[in-house]
Amino acid sequence: EAKCGGIVIKDEWPGYHLDLFTFPEHYSGDLECVYLPHGIIMDRTERLARDIMDDLGDHDIVVLCVLKGGYQFCADLVEYIKALSRNSNKSLLMRVDFIRLKSYLNDKSTEDLHIVGAEDLSVLNGKNVLIVEAIVDTGKTMKALLKHVETFKPKMVKVAGLLVKRVENAVGRSPDYVGFEIPNRFVVGYALDYNEYFRDLNHICVISESGKMKYKI
Ligand code: 5GP
């Protein structure tokens, strides 16, 4: 079970020119480049599903989707695991639960983590838990979430992160399943937002300065 940090995107990666792909007209001018096209996100997610199945197949798991940014990755990951469960001899019984966290304002991580909504995670007691998160930046959010989840005494906790940023002074453990390791740039799309915008964009993109201005609050 060799640990893999995911596909490494180098600091110099300029992304793809916007004209090479499609995206909603309402975001023209708001984006700098297509950083990770939707197709490669899906292909990498398919492989993560297989890795998860190899490690956890024939167990029961509770998938804990971290909202809001994680909804698309979680839905696609679950979809690929479902396909493996029906097309192979291994199967993974999944329950899916949700937790909503909030820690960002504009493009800055704020100090405190808010768990939004009434959170009765007692269903996690004694269970194998797979936390599914779209992006790990400083790691503070994941560290706080893991601490919170541990209080419910799960049997095992694994973490799947689509994106992990290369940052100095990262805290906590890195995810067990990583899609991509990316430079320290603010990205949007594939359910990742900037002040609630850009979730309706299928590629992961870098937002332009004018895009930041337009949706600043
Ligand atoms: P951390 O606590 O690891 O610094 O931050 C994690 C959270 O910050 C993520 O769950 C996500 O909500 C948000 N975040 C961090 N980097 C980005 C980014 O590049 N784009 C977006 N949209 N959100 C980010």
Side-chain angles (χ1 to χ4, degrees):
E1 192 188 324
K3 196 147 174 172
C4 166
I7 294 175
V8 177
I9 306 296
K10 297 221 172 83
D11 285 351
E12 308 78 54
W13 173 237
Y16 296 98
H17 198 286
L18 290 163
D19 291 344
L20 298 169
F21 294 96
T22 60
F23 62 92
E25 178 60 31
H26 52 253
Y27 291 137
S28 62
D30 304 336
L31 302 169
E32 208 170 285
C33 65
V34 172
Y35 210 55
L36 300 171
H38 185 250
I40 194 171
I41 299 167
M42 297 301 281
D43 291 340
R44 180 72 189 128
T45 302
E46 183 173 14
R47 177 56 200 252
L48 292 179
R50 202 183 88 184
D51 294 345
I52 289 164
M53 189 62 122
D54 286 347
D55 294 349
L56 309 177
D58 299 323
H59 283 76
D60 292 0
I61 65 168
V62 179
V63 173
L64 187 63
C65 172
V66 181
L67 298 173
K68 293 179 185 178
Y71 81 82
Q72 193 64 60
F73 175 50
C74 186
D76 289 332
L77 186 65
V78 165
E79 212 52 45
Y80 281 122
I81 294 171
K82 282 161 62 185
L84 288 168
S85 282
R86 50 177 199 267
N87 293 303
S88 70
N89 297 324
K90 269 193 180 179
S91 76
L92 194 54
L93 190 155
M94 285 184 286
R95 308 211 302 188
V96 184
D97 229 301
F98 301 87
I99 187 165
R100 187 167 158 204
L101 306 179
K102 199 162 168 46
S103 67
Y104 257 61
L105 185 63
N106 293 319
D107 58 353
K108 296 283 172 291
S109 183
T110 59
E111 269 307 301
D112 40 14
L113 170 79
H114 297 282
I115 295 173
V116 186
E119 284 325 313
D120 181 23
L121 294 181
S122 55
V123 292
L124 305 183
N125 188 282
K127 297 288 193 307
N128 299 308
V129 180
L130 178 68
I131 297 176
V132 180
E133 164 73 296
I135 186 161
V136 176
D137 184 359
T138 63
K140 280 188 229 161
T141 304
M142 189 48 65
K143 196 177 174 196
L145 177 58
L146 280 167
K147 198 174 152 202
H148 181 68
V149 165
E150 293 291 352
T151 63
F152 297 93
K153 305 243 176 296
K155 189 157 107 197
M156 179 194 77
V157 182
K158 296 272 187 193
V159 178
L162 177 64
L163 308 175
V164 174
K165 283 193 194 174
R166 260 193 314 279
V167 290
E168 281 175 54
N169 314 319
V171 301
R173 63 164 163 138
S174 59
D176 304 277
Y177 306 97
V178 177
F180 303 85
E181 180 194 296
I182 65 166
N184 192 3
R185 303 189 70 176
F186 192 79
V187 292
V188 295
Y190 193 69
L192 287 168
D193 75 312
Y194 175 78
N195 295 332
E196 299 302 329
Y197 288 92
F198 301 101
R199 294 196 203 274
D200 58 335
L201 175 67
N202 60 346
H203 311 295
I204 290 177
C205 297
V206 174
I207 186 172
S208 66
E209 282 309 313
S210 63
K212 279 191 192 175
M213 293 299 283
K214 187 162 158 190
Y215 299 108
K216 207 174 198 83
I217 48 174

